Amino acid sequence: MARENLRFPPGFLWGAATAAYQIEGAAREDGRTPSIWDTFSHTPGKVLGGDTGDVAVDHYHRWRDDVRLMADLGLISYRFSVSWPRVQPTGRGPAVQRGLDFYRGLVDELLAHGIQPMVTLYHWDLPQELEDAFPSGSAAGGGWPERDTAYRFAEYAGIVGEALGDRVEMWSTLNEPWCSAFLGYGSGVHAPGRTDPVAALRAAHHLNLAHGLGAQALREQLPARARIGVSLNPSAVRPLTASAGDLDARRRIDALANRVFTGPMLRGTYDDDLVADTARLTDWSFVRDDDLRITRHPLDFLGINYYSPAVVSAATEEDAAAGPRKDGHGASEHSPWPGADEHVSFHRAPGELTAMDWPVDPTGLTDLLLEYTAQAPGVPLYVTENGAAYDDKPGEDGQVHDPDRVRYLHSHIAAVHHAILAGADVRGYFLWSLLDNFEWAYGYSKRFGAVHVDYETQARTPKSSAHWYAKLAASGELPREYVAD
Ligand code: FCB
């Protein structure tokens, strides 16, 4: 007898996620100016194959068709990001109406199809002018290491809040600030490609401040029913053994990957161990008196992005001598872990690998959902990103069969169910990604979409995972066992 399906709570949001720079293209249209990702991707050697987001999947022109596709798949929600340089080209001053109109049109079309929008304000495309400006004159330079950028973000948040607040209920300030700070300014594998550990820590703080100031600015514009949150990518970090050295390595990475954001956002503090571990680099005097009250703006929800766990140990002698290592986001001579390199070694977690070489282990997702249930009591959780890249190709029948992705999604969605049964208040799941797209430093070489894109013709073909996900969204029930198509 078939065992019962896993049932999700009524009203659970089944969605898919994208980000502006990864899909829109139209990089120079309608007044848009370059973001740090335009500059970075046009710098030789930064992105695999010299790929850029100039055209991407041309969503800026194909958005109506893309919304129809979402409706055909029965998506209940769609998480997308607004391109800052499209609506406020220089990162300061008045908005460009055409930019705002694009997002108003998109939201209206979504609503007309019964799809709830979730807006992310910042998914990494900082206006280049803000990267180049440093009014405070700090030696750490412009962009996120510069305090003023947080205030510019708040202004931008107010502009978008005013334009879309009457029709969008779910708002996320930042996407994965860890990547913005530590890959953008530490290891340099993401834009703007700087490699300065102090700049990375300053960036982390100014992103926290931007989140708080941005949430305040949104609150002033939005009706009371609107919900404001943030999407983090906390690391499910595990010690290799239970030895004191390995546990200490876990503590260090938990501080630099997780508590550097959840401390200020949830508790209004930078933990003492984080400050002590980085004391050789900075005295943290860039944190001003009132900042940690602002960063602790009440969260209406917390978004968790999850792909894979991390395994750490005390630094092996070999690693301590060899210096920074690959971190799964691109190779660099520089470390994304300020102050931790001589103490920590990273190990491959067990499990099959995706095309990103990221191990498949759904238990990390259950662990994170339960951990943040404990850390943020009463705050609803959403999985705002989860998914996998595989080398998908159309078969002879013209269809794209991606059983590996279906298996990945099945196991991770079951892991979400597991967390719900154990007491986590998870209200939705957003598959990364709706479409194959520009995967940052990997360009178009990695396909995360449930919908295949032929980059020559821009033809969209839903993969078997998209059909599988459509059934799940329609029924709200996950078969207990994974069944191949
Ligand atoms: C996350 C990003 C998202 C996408 C996935 C694979 O870190 O938020 O844009 O690239 O990884």
Side-chain angles (χ1 to χ4, degrees):
M1 201 176 74
R3 287 196 293 155
E4 255 181 51
N5 292 340
L6 303 178
R7 266 199 209 125
F8 283 77
F12 193 85
L13 289 189
W14 296 104
T18 63
Y21 190 71
Q22 296 181 274
I23 64 165
E24 285 182 3
R28 279 175 285 271
E29 275 177 54
D30 292 344
R32 184 184 179 281
T33 54
S35 73
I36 54 176
W37 267 98
D38 294 86
T39 308
F40 187 77
S41 65
H42 279 270
T43 306
K46 298 296 185 190
V47 174
L48 205 69
D51 291 346
T52 74
D54 286 2
V55 177
V57 297
D58 198 32
H59 173 74
Y60 191 71
H61 299 115
R62 295 168 192 263
W63 56 279
R64 280 183 202 280
D65 292 342
D66 288 341
V67 174
R68 199 166 316 122
L69 195 56
M70 292 179 223
D72 290 346
L73 296 176
L75 293 190
I76 294 169
S77 186
Y78 174 53
R79 171 176 179 253
F80 65 93
S81 80
V82 172
S83 158
W84 187 347
R86 202 181 281 295
V87 307
Q88 197 192 29
T90 59
R92 61 183 78 239
V96 166
Q97 196 54 43
R98 278 168 306 181
L100 290 174
D101 287 347
F102 170 71
Y103 295 105
R104 285 173 76 96
L106 173 64
V107 165
D108 285 347
E109 193 77 3
L110 289 166
L111 294 173
H113 285 85
I115 301 169
Q116 293 183 42
M118 181 192 276
V119 168
T120 302
L121 288 175
Y122 186 72
H123 201 129
W124 309 352
D125 43 1
L126 186 74
Q128 181 64 39
E129 294 215 21
L130 293 184
E131 174 61 27
D132 297 338
F134 41 115
S136 73
S138 152
W144 288 110
E146 160 63 51
R147 185 177 174 89
D148 187 59
T149 303
Y151 292 86
R152 300 282 62 78
F153 177 76
E155 189 179 281
Y156 157 69
I159 290 172
V160 183
E162 190 186 356
L164 303 180
D166 58 344
R167 53 198 85 186
V168 172
E169 280 189 27
M170 301 270 296
W171 295 79
S172 174
T173 53
L174 306 174
N175 177 72
E176 302 191 0
W178 184 83
C179 295
S180 303
F182 295 100
L183 301 180
Y185 296 90
S187 65
V189 300
H190 279 187
R194 283 161 57 185
T195 54
D196 169 356
V198 178
L201 292 169
R202 292 175 63 104
H205 176 60
H206 297 141
L207 283 152
N208 283 322
L209 186 61
H211 160 73
L213 293 168
Q216 278 177 10
L218 282 177
R219 256 295 150 240
E220 281 167 23
Q221 296 295 337
L222 300 180
R225 65 171 190 279
R227 284 167 291 156
I228 302 170
V230 63
S231 288
L232 303 179
N233 57 323
S235 177
V237 52
R238 294 164 173 172
L240 186 64
T241 73
S243 73
D246 292 1
L247 291 173
D248 189 61
R250 200 210 91 88
R251 176 194 64 70
R252 284 174 186 273
I253 297 305
D254 178 48
L256 284 166
N258 304 335
R259 287 183 282 122
V260 67
F261 299 106
T262 53
M265 290 185 189
L266 299 176
R267 300 185 296 279
T269 180
Y270 285 108
D271 290 341
D272 291 345
D273 64 327
L274 169 65
V275 173
D277 289 350
T278 51
R280 223 170 10 90
L281 298 166
T282 175
D283 60 6
W284 290 75
S285 55
F286 47 81
V287 182
R288 301 218 184 135
D289 275 355
D290 210 26
D291 288 2
L292 291 168
R293 185 188 59 77
I294 297 169
T295 59
R296 197 188 182 182
H297 192 278
L299 285 176
D300 300 320
F301 70 90
L302 178 59
I304 304 283
N305 295 357
Y306 173 79
Y307 291 90
S308 196
V311 177
V312 298
S313 71
T316 60
E317 271 173 38
E318 221 180 9
D319 271 356
R325 300 157 286 279
K326 275 185 80 170
D327 60 16
H329 297 270
S332 170
E333 297 297 298
H334 300 272
S335 166
W337 304 110
D341 287 303
E342 63 264 46
H343 303 283
V344 180
S345 283
F346 284 81
H347 302 265
R348 227 197 84 185
E352 282 168 38
L353 300 180
T354 68
M356 295 293 283
D357 280 347
W358 294 349
V360 178
D361 182 352
T363 63
L365 181 53
T366 309
D367 290 352
L368 287 177
L369 292 169
L370 292 174
E371 172 154 0
Y372 289 98
T373 296
Q375 283 199 33
V379 179
L381 303 177
Y382 289 83
V383 177
T384 37
E385 283 182 26
N386 176 242
Y390 290 103
D391 295 327
D392 313 306
K393 291 179 192 69
E396 280 174 10
D397 57 358
Q399 301 296 309
V400 185
H401 299 279
D402 59 344
D404 289 339
R405 181 171 294 94
V406 178
R407 195 173 319 115
Y408 181 99
L409 295 175
H410 181 278
S411 62
H412 286 74
I413 293 168
V416 175
H417 192 267
H418 198 68
I420 293 175
L421 289 186
D425 180 10
V426 189
R427 306 260 178 107
Y429 173 94
F430 292 79
L431 180 161
W432 183 273
S433 181
L434 176 68
L435 302 159
D436 290 337
N437 61 46
F438 175 81
E439 178 47 36
W440 309 115
Y442 294 90
Y444 298 98
S445 69
K446 304 294 178 198
R447 293 179 178 273
F448 274 91
V451 176
H452 181 271
V453 178
D454 176 331
Y455 294 120
E456 298 293 314
T457 62
Q458 296 289 355
R460 273 84 161 132
T461 309
K463 304 176 191 177
S464 38
S465 58
H467 299 298
W468 176 88
Y469 194 64
K471 273 190 219 149
L472 172 62
S475 66
E477 292 189 14
L478 183 74
R480 249 171 224 273
E481 317 295 343
Y482 159 74
V483 186
D485 69 324

